[in-house]
Amino acid sequence: MAGEKKRRRWHRVALAAGAAATVGGLGVAIGPAAPWVVQHFADGQRVGRIGKLHLEGVSGSWLGNLRVAHVEIADDEGVWLTADDAAATWQPLDLLFGMVTLDTVHARALNIARQPTLLPEQPSSGANIDVHIGALTLDSIGLAEPMLGQAATFNARLSLDYKGGNIDGLDLAVQRTDSDADHLIASYRPDRAYAMHVDVLGQPGGILARSLGVTEQGVRMTAQGSGTAQNGAAVFDAKIGDADLLAGETHWTEINWRVEGHGELSALPGLAELTKRIGPSVSFNASGAHIGAFQAHVETPFTSGDIAGALTDKHELDGGAHFLITTQRVSDIAPESPFELGGARVQGELRQARGVTAI
């Protein structure tokens, strides 16, 4: 009996010692040893589809306060992105609760040499992650000429709150520093004092105009909104040169919402194949309850579409949403057909499950 009690006592001591060693080891891993852990375990890891990570000169007092002297991301063709003198303060334990919390992120220089060759896509977990970025600052963003046919430098700052699939706050400013040709400024607050402001400018020959394939025309986008979470309105407008690309407005009350607008798809060269199929213009309207039934209608010269369903408080489909697409003449949509094709309709139902939408 005495021997049995002694064995149990030693067993409890061993368990306690093992737990203490585990906690102590974890404390060391996220504490003084964190730079070594990050250097050896993050280095070489895949970053989504854009390449693999390489780190040099990792330092810091613990996992939530790190500096990296040099960062590289490389695809199969070599290094395409570098960052120097990067630092971050964040809350690593928030990851246990599905939250990424970045208090501050700063880099002295970010340089992009070219567009990356994307790696094969991997299956998505379907998990929703909330994101808080207190202050992200990039002192210099350098775009090399192979990116868009013109070298350029920018600076950028960002703060973001993204929760439950919704943007709860945004402040973004990207300013070109080697000329006045390009800028992107956006702020959004959907709380009691609702406010939205968007100002995007891409002058002819600039980076934004080049990225949209409208180098000679330029681009200008604006949006303004005000009100409260219960009542408000917003208007939005986008132009390619002097041509209207998109214009519309949205209104909401405590009970419901509605949005309507129109666009000239032909103003954007990248949509040429689509406009050949459905026509050069589009008009749309939608309305519904914040939680509950909604309906939407879209019309182009060659097609029209309707969808009706219901939304949950997370803005996801509640059950199925029935849709109907019609055309008076299929030959308008498929001009390559050797036969004349008349009217047609397609109908079905959309459903969501685990972050995936299926027909």
Side-chain angles (χ1 to χ4, degrees), residues 89-123:
T89 59
W90 65 299
Q91 307 299 322
L93 296 182
D94 283 2
L95 293 174
L96 300 175
F97 306 99
M99 178 81 177
V100 175
T101 303
L102 303 174
D103 298 318
T104 62
V105 180
H106 174 262
R108 177 180 58 81
L110 178 74
N111 291 290
I112 303 174
R114 55 177 172 80
Q115 296 187 25
T117 301
L118 298 180
L119 298 173
E121 192 169 359
Q122 292 182 326

Side-chain angles (χ1 to χ4, degrees), residues 18-142:
T22 300
V23 173
L26 179 61
V28 171
I30 67 173
W36 183 90
V37 171
V38 172
Q39 180 86 53
H40 288 79
F41 289 95
D43 192 70
Q45 294 299 311
R46 174 170 164 159
V47 183
R49 300 184 63 195
I50 63 175
K52 292 185 177 181
L53 186 66
H54 173 65
L55 304 175
E56 296 177 4
V58 182
S59 61
S61 57
W62 76 294
L63 188 60
N65 184 7
L66 293 174
R67 302 186 67 87
V68 183
H70 184 70
V71 180
E72 293 180 352
I73 298 180
D75 57 17
D76 291 339
E77 299 178 21
V79 176
W80 65 273
L81 181 147
T82 63
D84 294 296
D85 296 334
T89 59
W90 65 299
Q91 307 299 322
L93 296 182
D94 283 2
L95 293 174
L96 300 175
F97 306 99
M99 178 81 177
V100 175
T101 303
L102 303 174
D103 298 318
T104 62
V105 180
H106 174 262
R108 177 180 58 81
L110 178 74
N111 291 290
I112 303 174
R114 55 177 172 80
Q115 296 187 25
T117 301
L118 298 180
L119 298 173
E121 192 169 359
Q122 292 182 326
S124 171
S125 66
N128 292 322
I129 297 178
D130 297 335
V131 178
H132 168 76
I133 301 175
L136 183 152
T137 305
L138 302 175
D139 293 341
S140 175
I141 304 172

